[in-house]
Amino acid sequence: MTLFSFVELAIVTLIVPFISALQNNLEMIPKYEFAGLLMDKNDPKAVVLYLAFVLLFLFSFKAVSDWFIHYDLCRLTQKIKNDLILNLYNGYLNLEYVDYKRFNTNTFIKNCLITTQNVVFSIHKTSETIRDSLLALVLVLALLNQSFQLSFFFISALALMGILFFKLMKGRQYNAGKTLEDSNRKLQKWVSQSFLSVKEIKINDSLAYYKHHLEKSLNEYNHANITLAVFPRVPKIILEYLVFTGLIAGALLVSISEQSVAGLVPVIVFYAFVIRRLIPLVNNIVSSHLELTGALASIQVLKNEFNIIQDYHQAQNKASHSFESDLSICGLNFSYNENAKVLDNINLHINKGDHIAVVGKTGSGKSTLVELICGLLEPEFGYFIADGKKIQNTRGLQHMIGYVPQQVYLLDESILSNITLREPDTLTGEERKWVQELAEICQINEFTDQLEKRLDTRVGERGNNLSGGQIQRVGIARQLFKKPGLLILDEATAAVDDKVETKVLEAIKQGLPDLTIIMVTHRISSLKKVDQVILIDKGKVAWKGDSGVIPENALKSIDSDRGAVILSKQD
Ligand SMILES: Nc1ncnc2c1ncn2[C@@H]1O[C@H](COP(=O)(O)OP(=O)(O)OP(=O)(O)O)[C@@H](O)[C@H]1O
Ligand SMILES: [Mg+2]
């Protein structure tokens, strides 16, 4: 960049001698000692030719290096953008699950894709501003060298205007940047929520509600965007206006003065050239500063996010454990908020190969308990004992735990990819065979046999092309693919009819006889399919024991509505 600025200086310095030589006025040409070797200083044509050649060379050099600098800058900023996005993406996915649930994923998407873009834009702008400032400095030096007083006055006026304008606009631009960040987040959220609510929009005729929020966010976004785009343009307009009126005034002065204009031509061309170059630079510097002020909000957002992510990165500790004979849960307590205890002093003993059902009223803490057992949440108090070894949490056991959540999220890929979560061409023959077995165990073949592409059928966004029960079966196969030692099913068969549930559970027991199963359920008929039952009530173990001897009052308290209905049907 420094070399680039010197080339600019050389071009500007050569303008006056070149125009003078064109006018056969060799007195204006400085005495270049080295130049004497190449040109005859008394021959105007030779001087013109020589200077034309040098100017052409310098211009060509400037044009090529300008392109290369721009190319390098673009590559550098793209690399920074990639790094920012990937680090943020990794960081978000490494957040503690409990904290992850506190955020809205649309904020993550906005930060990964839009805020990073704004920050990279500001980095690009900063480097451009540095380049423009260097060039402007060189041009200022050239101007001062030509005529100190006039140039000093002109430059001071320019600088004063720029500083004043920046000071006036700074606050407004920063606030607009903050509004833009916030409205971007809301826009992302409402667009995404609207598309995910298409059923409600159609059935409840509620489009107006979603549209109102979207339009509100759009208005905020547009208002901020207009402020950010329009005000940085103002210096350019003012400067062009002032320079134009200045030139007209200068021309009028010259025309009414008696002086011959011919002698002033090189100087006028010099000023015209330098000012023509300097004004966009000054404008860029001022407007870039304003744009950067607008992007400060995005920089602040990313800074905060990276601080949060970094803390988690440092806290990551995943020593691997396993349990071959038993797992105990000792004095487990958990709360999401300080005031509301969700699990209160849970003590359980699980032997390898046990089949356990966890039951209880809605909101009693069943999902929270299984999320603690699979290490997604960390106990507030209490600990685990795996094969006699005390462990604070079960993260180290995750390699041997399969967990099917209440809502299985399917990718818009094939059934095969959804089961394996791997590129199909990376699967070994044995793995492919296992997938086929799983399709049989989980009763997936029952519906894929009718599909032309069978396991290669795409499931659509969030499995939209499958039924709820089919999605759940793919979800179970996905967890069994890694051949876990412990399978946790959180109402993972709630959408499957009783017959299919029995078939799936029987096939799992047969195919994986050592597998320990913990199954959260509201379905009383499911209790016959396990050995032990644990009843959770208000975060406490209200009853535990053999599935064959569940007291009637315990059964009734499982789910006051659904449980009772199913029970009466069975009776
Ligand atoms: N992320 C969270 N932040 C705050 N509270 C939460 C959070 N997740 C769950 N809760 C609360 O914890 C309690 C237990 O929730 P949990 O999901 O474990 O219940 P559950 O027994 O699985 O219910 P269901 O049968 O309806 O699935 C509920 O009162 C719920 O509102
Ligand atoms: Mg639940």
Side-chain angles (χ1 to χ4, degrees):
M1 269 199 218
T2 322
L3 181 66
F4 187 73
S5 311
F6 275 114
V7 172
E8 187 82 28
L9 181 63
I11 292 171
V12 169
T13 319
L14 285 177
I15 286 174
V16 175
F18 181 63
I19 307 285
S20 306
L22 277 175
Q23 290 182 311
N24 288 342
N25 181 3
L26 296 184
E27 274 167 35
M28 298 282 285
I29 301 176
K31 291 186 172 51
Y32 300 116
E33 287 307 322
F34 70 93
L37 295 172
L38 295 162
M39 66 175 185
D40 180 355
K41 224 182 114 352
N42 295 319
D43 178 359
K45 275 195 181 143
V47 174
V48 167
L49 254 176
Y50 174 76
L51 289 179
F53 174 76
V54 174
L55 275 172
L56 204 66
F57 171 77
L58 290 175
F59 262 112
S60 313
F61 179 82
K62 192 171 93 82
V64 174
S65 48
D66 196 11
W67 186 84
F68 272 110
I69 288 175
H70 186 66
Y71 177 67
D72 271 353
L73 205 60
C74 284
R75 270 190 6 173
L76 180 74
T77 45
Q78 285 313 310
K79 188 179 170 329
I80 295 173
K81 188 168 137 189
N82 266 14
D83 290 350
L84 279 179
I85 292 178
L86 285 176
N87 281 330
L88 210 54
Y89 171 85
N90 275 334
Y92 282 149
L93 289 169
N94 276 325
L95 281 179
E96 285 290 348
Y97 178 66
V98 68
D99 292 325
Y100 186 92
K101 292 214 286 187
R102 289 199 183 116
F103 294 100
N104 185 306
T105 49
N106 290 300
T107 308
F108 294 154
I109 299 172
K110 186 268 297 173
N111 287 346
C112 281
L113 301 181
I114 297 170
T115 308
T116 47
Q117 180 81 35
N118 290 347
V119 170
V120 167
F121 168 78
S122 70
I123 294 172
H124 195 101
K125 274 280 160 198
T126 310
S127 34
E128 272 185 358
T129 310
I130 294 172
R131 186 194 62 187
D132 288 351
S133 304
L134 272 173
L135 281 180
L137 185 72
V138 158
L139 293 173
V140 164
L141 288 176
L143 273 181
L144 288 173
N145 185 43
Q146 187 67 31
S147 156
F148 186 81
Q149 273 179 336
L150 186 66
S151 307
F152 184 75
F153 172 73
F154 173 72
I155 291 158
S156 309
L158 261 185
L160 200 69
M161 261 179 49
I163 292 168
L164 258 178
F165 188 77
F166 180 70
K167 290 254 177 238
L168 272 176
M169 290 293 143
K170 203 172 122 190
R172 180 191 288 256
Q173 288 297 107
Y174 180 69
N175 287 338
K178 264 172 77 171
T179 312
L180 194 75
E181 268 294 314
D182 199 45
S183 55
N184 253 325
R185 179 184 59 78
K186 288 187 199 153
L187 261 182
Q188 177 85 34
K189 183 173 119 181
W190 281 102
V191 168
S192 150
Q193 288 187 154
S194 305
F195 290 126
L196 290 173
S197 307
V198 67
K199 283 187 199 165
E200 288 77 3
I201 288 176
K202 286 190 185 297
I203 306 273
N204 301 348
D205 203 9
S206 55
L207 182 60
Y209 172 72
Y210 294 84
K211 226 168 130 188
H212 163 74
H213 279 286
L214 186 72
E215 279 173 354
K216 206 169 142 216
S217 318
L218 254 181
N219 285 343
E220 281 173 24
Y221 174 83
N222 287 342
H223 189 72
N225 228 353
I226 288 172
T227 306
L228 287 171
V230 165
F231 286 99
R233 299 271 302 175
V234 176
K236 181 172 185 268
I237 297 165
I238 299 176
L239 279 175
E240 277 179 359
Y241 176 77
L242 287 180
V243 168
F244 182 74
T245 43
L247 279 177
I248 301 264
L252 282 176
L253 273 179
V254 169
S255 75
I256 52 175
S257 76
E258 306 284 295
Q259 231 183 317
S260 147
V261 185
L264 290 175
V265 168
V267 181
I268 291 172
V269 173
F270 168 80
Y271 273 107
F273 183 86
V274 174
I275 290 170
R276 167 82 190 76
R277 195 79 186 87
L278 194 58
I279 283 174
L281 289 178
V282 172
N283 170 57
N284 274 357
I285 294 166
V286 178
S287 56
S288 294
H289 265 84
L290 284 177
E291 281 166 350
L292 281 175
T293 316
L296 275 183
S298 301
I299 295 172
Q300 196 61 44
V301 167
L302 273 204
K303 212 174 132 211
N304 289 346
E305 297 300 287
F306 275 112
N307 278 344
I308 296 172
I309 286 166
Q310 191 145 350
D311 291 347
Y312 284 102
H313 213 66
Q314 283 162 0
Q316 292 277 317
N317 175 20
K318 209 170 169 177
S320 180
H321 307 287
S322 62
F323 80 95
E324 294 304 323
S325 75
D326 62 335
L327 177 73
S328 295
I329 297 168
C330 309
L332 210 70
N333 280 263
F334 184 83
S335 47
Y336 291 101
N337 310 307
E338 274 171 31
N339 308 329
K341 201 166 238 192
V342 175
L343 291 177
D344 188 1
N345 194 25
I346 303 277
N347 292 288
L348 293 171
H349 186 80
I350 302 161
N351 283 315
K352 187 157 174 113
D354 276 355
H355 295 158
I356 302 167
V358 177
V359 292
K361 282 184 188 167
T362 179
S364 56
K366 305 177 296 296
S367 294
T368 308
L369 174 64
V370 292
E371 282 176 359
L372 276 153
I373 296 176
C374 65
L376 279 175
L377 300 176
E378 184 137 1
E380 205 168 66
F381 305 110
Y383 52 90
F384 299 84
I385 300 177
D387 286 350
K389 190 173 186 309
K390 183 179 163 186
I391 48 175
Q392 213 54 48
N393 59 52
T394 54
R395 279 189 198 162
L397 293 175
Q398 279 171 343
H399 63 97
M400 58 170 295
I401 297 179
Y403 165 62
V404 188
Q406 244 172 309
Q407 272 137 14
V408 174
Y409 180 84
L410 292 194
L411 306 174
D412 185 7
E413 302 294 336
S414 67
I415 296 175
L416 178 71
S417 299
N418 268 294
I419 293 175
T420 60
L421 296 181
R422 289 249 303 275
E423 288 301 326
D425 54 7
T426 64
L427 294 173
T428 62
E430 211 170 298
E431 284 168 334
R432 281 180 179 277
K433 218 176 119 210
W434 179 225
V435 173
Q436 290 303 335
E437 279 177 51
L438 285 176
E440 202 60 55
I441 292 174
C442 299
Q443 305 296 304
I444 292 173
N445 283 348
E446 189 227 21
F447 64 91
T448 51
D449 281 350
Q450 281 117 53
L451 301 172
E452 193 192 330
K453 292 188 175 169
R454 292 175 180 248
L455 289 183
D456 291 326
T457 309
R458 275 182 93 99
V459 302
E461 192 187 358
R462 291 176 303 135
N464 274 342
N465 302 341
L466 301 183
S467 75
Q470 291 167 345
I471 292 174
Q472 289 193 322
R473 280 177 271 170
V474 175
I476 297 172
R478 175 190 280 173
Q479 294 307 316
L480 289 177
F481 179 71
K482 70 175 189 184
K483 297 190 177 165
L486 168 63
L487 179 67
I488 297 174
L489 303 169
D490 190 355
E491 297 193 44
T493 47
V496 173
D497 64 49
D498 190 43
K499 248 185 180 169
V500 174
E501 184 191 74
T502 309
K503 277 189 192 171
V504 173
L505 288 177
E506 283 307 318
I508 292 177
K509 284 178 198 171
Q510 245 182 15
L512 299 151
D514 293 335
L515 185 66
T516 311
I517 301 175
I518 299 176
M519 181 180 167
V520 176
T521 182
H522 278 290
R523 193 184 271 160
I524 293 174
S525 62
S526 305
L527 305 187
K528 289 183 202 144
K529 300 162 196 167
V530 297
D531 318 311
Q532 276 187 61
V533 174
I534 295 161
L535 173 66
I536 304 288
D537 189 29
K538 293 186 188 131
K540 291 187 178 181
V541 177
W543 185 85
K544 59 181 170 183
D546 199 280
S547 62
V549 292
I550 314 168
E552 186 126 334
N553 60 343
L555 267 181
K556 280 197 174 142
S557 66
I558 289 175
D559 186 325
S560 46
D561 302 325
R562 269 194 294 165
V565 172
I566 296 165
L567 187 67
S568 59
K569 271 189 187 166
Q570 293 214 331
D571 293 344

